Amino acid sequence: MSAQNSAGIQTLLEAEREAQKIVQKAREYRTKRVRDAKAEAQKEIEEYRKEKDEEFKKFQTEHSSGNKKAEEDAGKDAENKLAEIKEAGGKAGDKIVQDLLRVVMEVKPEVPDRVAAPPAA
């Protein structure tokens, strides 16, 4: 009986070793799968980041060029207005200065209509 028990125990030990090998292989497989999943996720993240960076740069280029054009248009408009003002000043500048001097020098004091006349003494 002791030989049978010894053989049975030996069979159980072998089965336990075999089970441990299977469990170890399963753990290694799971660890490898987790590592692979992390690497794949990181790769997808990098691809997504590159795609979004390219979209952002494209968007930025499109919209910044619009701003430059608007700035150039505004600058041209300002220059045109300044040229018109200088031209008008050149044509009628002397007359405007003379009119201003005449108005300032020829003072004609008048009592406004709203102000009541001073009482007669």
Side-chain angles (χ1 to χ4, degrees), residues 7 10 30:
Q10 205 56 26
R30 186 187 71 200

Side-chain angles (χ1 to χ4, degrees), residues 74-121:
K76 288 178 183 176
D77 288 345
E79 289 176 16
N80 290 339
K81 292 292 182 184
L82 280 173
E84 288 177 19
I85 291 170
K86 287 181 181 180
E87 184 180 327
K91 288 180 181 177
D94 292 336
K95 183 179 182 308
I96 292 171
V97 170
Q98 293 299 322
D99 288 346
L100 283 172
L101 286 174
R102 183 181 47 81
V103 170
V104 170
M105 301 304 277
E106 296 175 12
V107 179
K108 297 179 184 175
E110 295 179 6
V111 178
D113 295 336
R114 311 184 274 175
V115 177

Side-chain angles (χ1 to χ4, degrees), residues 29-95:
Y29 178 74
R30 186 187 71 200
T31 304
K32 182 179 181 277
R33 289 285 296 148
V34 167
R35 243 184 265 127
D36 290 347
K38 283 183 182 178
E40 187 176 330
Q42 190 64 32
K43 183 179 176 183
E44 288 179 11
I45 289 169
E46 288 301 319
E47 288 175 3
Y48 183 76
R49 181 175 287 135
K50 285 180 185 177
E51 179 183 326
K52 289 300 174 182
D53 281 344
E54 288 173 8
E55 285 180 23
F56 176 71
K57 286 178 183 177
K58 182 180 176 184
F59 176 83
Q60 195 174 25
T61 314
E62 289 174 0
H63 288 79
S64 67
S65 65
N67 289 342
K68 288 179 184 176
K69 183 167 176 21
E71 288 176 12
E72 290 173 2
D73 291 345
K76 288 178 183 176
D77 288 345
E79 289 176 16
N80 290 339
K81 292 292 182 184
L82 280 173
E84 288 177 19
I85 291 170
K86 287 181 181 180
E87 184 180 327
K91 288 180 181 177
D94 292 336
K95 183 179 182 308

